[in-house]
Amino acid sequence: MAEPIKNKRPDPAAPTPQNTPANAAPISSHAQQPGITSIKEEDLDRVTAASIFAKDPRLVSLIQGRLGSLVGRSSGYIESLPTEVKRRVAGLKGIQKDHSKLEAEFQEEVLQLEKKYFAKFTPLYEQRSAIINGKNEPTEDQVQAGEEDEDEDEDEGAAIKEEKPAESAAKVSGIPEFWLSAMKNQISLAEMITDRDEEALKALIDIRMEYLDKPGFRLIFEFAENDFFTNTTITKTYYYQNESGYGGDFIYDHADGDKIDWKTGQDLTVRVEQKKQRNKTTKQTRIVKKTVPTESFFNFFSPPKAPTDDEDDAASDIEDRLELDYQLGEDIKEKLIPRAIDWFTGEALAFEEIDEDDLEDFDDEDDEDDEDASEDNEDEDESEEEEDDGTKPKQEPTECKQS
């Protein structure tokens, strides 16, 4: 079946074998009929090209490089303009430069304003950290303000939770696994967290950030003592270029992460592969262990480096990783840290734009309940069938006697 041409709607009036009767086919029409042979040849060419590109990815990179070199080249139109018109174009470019200077000033003032309010946010973050880690309890005013927007069902649930616990129940300090739960609700971060990572991230007691003296920011992850590494804090710093980009925005330059001091055998960023080898002469076997990199959230602290001139083949992949790394840093800075409680409760998800691909990993609870109910019904039906097979004596129908 031929693949439809993208971004082009099929003409509903076009004759096809499905909508054109054989006895009413347009024989003498001057309109050009669709050429079936040409369509097949076009599809064949497309398939052939895709096959060639799949066999040699370097060819794709070469073509992309050639096409990229054409971007920004003049078509010759500007050069063909009369002298007086070109002079006016140059004048507009001069005005645009003044506009760009104002845009750069605007971004600089926005940054200073962010720093001003960040200083006001910081005491609130400190109060939050103290409550999460069990150092302080929230005030009555804070609790009341937090409950104002809750509906009746949530109020009832809160009332149940506030009942006095049984004497045997252990006292809970702060909010256990607060940051791990918040991160797992943030989709871009959740995709990076493995089951092995969770044990280490349970020791995460705070995430905060600070601005640099020059354009950039630093993320600070603070940990309690744990079985995986000796660091009490692990930081990652994002740097911007000194010159602003098009539109006055800051341009991401690079990032640096702290070295993690892993305890022996506890490095979560690697795994050990074991392979059995047999000596051809002595027939003796031995087990060879090899350490290989593996997926882990803690790879976040070893950011990718910008490609060099010798890495042209892998440049596209590295650029994608750099973009993802920068976006993760921005998500932590702009979303997770300012609204950590909303990510912990999951309320922040209501304001996120979620791709349909991300929803494939989630099932509707109603569907699961329906499946459980159907399984229960099937189990009941099976038990009834077993009873009918003789496991339970059949009851004779009661004889109806009429007087």
Side-chain angles (χ1 to χ4, degrees):
M1 181 177 178
E3 181 181 355
I5 300 174
K6 295 182 179 179
N7 301 327
K8 184 176 182 182
R9 297 182 179 178
D11 183 2
T16 67
Q18 286 74 25
N19 64 19
T20 304
N23 59 357
I27 303 299
S28 60
S29 172
H30 294 287
Q32 184 178 359
Q33 300 301 317
I36 303 300
T37 304
S38 64
I39 294 176
K40 289 185 177 179
E41 289 176 355
E42 180 183 347
D43 292 336
L44 182 61
D45 292 342
R46 186 185 297 113
V47 173
T48 303
S51 177
I52 294 174
F53 292 149
K55 291 179 180 178
D56 191 357
R58 292 176 298 177
L59 184 59
V60 178
S61 301
L62 177 62
I63 294 176
Q64 289 177 339
R66 293 289 178 86
L67 293 176
S69 64
L70 297 176
V71 177
R73 285 193 177 184
S74 174
S75 63
Y77 170 72
I78 301 299
E79 290 79 359
S80 66
L81 293 174
T83 303
E84 61 272 18
V85 176
K86 286 194 285 188
R87 184 174 181 278
R88 295 168 192 142
V89 170
L92 293 181
K93 287 184 176 182
I95 294 174
Q96 187 62 46
K97 285 187 176 181
D98 293 338
H99 188 277
S100 297
K101 291 178 182 178
L102 290 176
E103 284 180 327
E105 292 178 13
F106 169 75
Q107 291 296 338
E108 182 61 32
E109 290 191 18
V110 168
L111 177 60
Q112 297 306 320
L113 188 62
E114 286 182 1
K115 290 182 177 181
K116 173 185 175 180
Y117 275 87
F118 177 74
K120 295 183 178 182
F121 293 147
T122 299
L124 302 180
Y125 296 152
E126 292 172 350
Q127 293 178 36
R128 179 179 68 189
S129 177
I131 294 173
I132 290 172
N133 295 297
K135 296 179 180 179
N136 291 331
E137 292 293 332
T139 65
E140 290 300 324
D141 290 341
Q142 290 171 338
V143 173
Q144 185 176 359
E147 291 178 343
E148 285 180 354
D149 297 334
E150 295 180 355
D151 56 23
E152 295 180 358
D153 293 338
E154 290 176 338
D155 288 336
E156 293 175 1
I160 294 175
K161 292 178 182 177
E162 290 174 1
E163 292 180 358
K164 293 183 179 180
E167 294 181 359
S168 59
K171 185 178 180 180
V172 179
S173 176
I175 306 179
E177 302 177 17
F178 176 88
W179 287 103
L180 171 59
S181 300
M183 291 170 67
K184 290 178 67 176
N185 280 333
Q186 219 287 328
I187 294 177
S188 59
L189 293 174
E191 292 175 346
M192 301 173 60
I193 299 174
T194 67
D195 293 339
R196 298 172 66 206
D197 293 333
E198 290 191 19
E199 290 301 317
L201 290 174
K202 288 178 181 179
L204 182 58
I205 58 177
D206 196 19
I207 303 178
R208 54 188 183 270
M209 62 85 61
E210 61 185 16
Y211 286 100
L212 307 180
D213 293 335
K214 57 182 180 179
F217 62 93
R218 178 177 292 112
L219 300 175
I220 305 169
F221 293 73
E222 184 177 354
F223 290 87
E225 185 176 353
N226 59 82
D227 298 331
F228 296 89
F229 44 79
T230 59
N231 307 64
T232 55
T233 60
I234 307 176
T235 69
K236 184 170 182 179
T237 307
Y238 287 87
Y239 298 93
Y240 295 117
Q241 295 181 8
N242 292 327
E243 296 182 0
S244 301
Y246 187 80
D249 295 329
F250 291 111
I251 303 175
Y252 170 65
D253 187 70
H254 71 282
D256 292 328
D258 283 347
K259 179 181 179 295
I260 302 177
D261 299 321
W262 297 102
K263 295 182 179 180
T264 304
Q266 296 292 76
D267 190 344
L268 297 172
T269 63
V270 297
R271 59 186 173 85
V272 179
E273 289 185 347
Q274 294 185 356
K275 182 182 293 186
K276 185 181 291 186
Q277 293 182 345
R278 181 184 297 273
N279 188 297
K280 295 180 180 180
T281 305
T282 63
K283 304 300 181 182
Q284 292 182 343
T285 61
R286 65 173 182 174
I287 296 177
V288 179
K289 295 183 179 181
K290 182 180 179 182
T291 302
V292 296
T294 188
E295 293 183 357
S296 171
F297 166 76
F298 291 94
N299 289 323
F300 174 72
F301 298 101
S302 300
K305 302 299 181 183
T308 61
D309 296 337
D310 299 333
E311 298 175 328
D312 289 340
D313 294 341
S316 178
D317 178 61
I318 297 177
E319 290 291 343
D320 290 342
R321 291 169 55 199
L322 284 169
E323 183 178 352
L324 175 60
D325 180 74
Y326 171 69
Q327 188 58 53
L328 287 171
E330 283 289 318
D331 286 346
I332 295 173
K333 170 178 173 284
E334 299 292 340
K335 296 181 180 180
L336 183 63
I337 293 177
R339 299 187 175 276
I341 183 59
D342 293 337
W343 289 106
F344 174 79
T345 61
E347 295 174 19
L349 288 169
F351 304 95
E352 280 286 284
E353 294 182 1
I354 303 177
D355 295 336
E356 293 182 1
D357 295 339
D358 295 329
L359 296 176
E360 293 179 356
D361 297 332
F362 296 89
D363 295 325
D364 294 336
E365 293 183 359
D366 295 339
D367 294 342
E368 293 179 356
D369 295 340
D370 294 341
E371 291 177 1
D372 295 339
S374 62
E375 290 178 0
D376 294 340
N377 292 335
E378 290 177 0
D379 293 340
E380 292 178 0
D381 293 341
E382 290 177 359
S383 61
E384 291 176 359
E385 290 177 0
E386 292 177 356
E387 292 176 356
D388 292 344
D389 291 339
T391 56
K392 183 177 180 181
K394 294 183 180 180
Q395 183 175 359
E396 297 295 333
T398 305
E399 182 180 356
C400 180
K401 297 181 180 180
Q402 296 181 357
S403 56

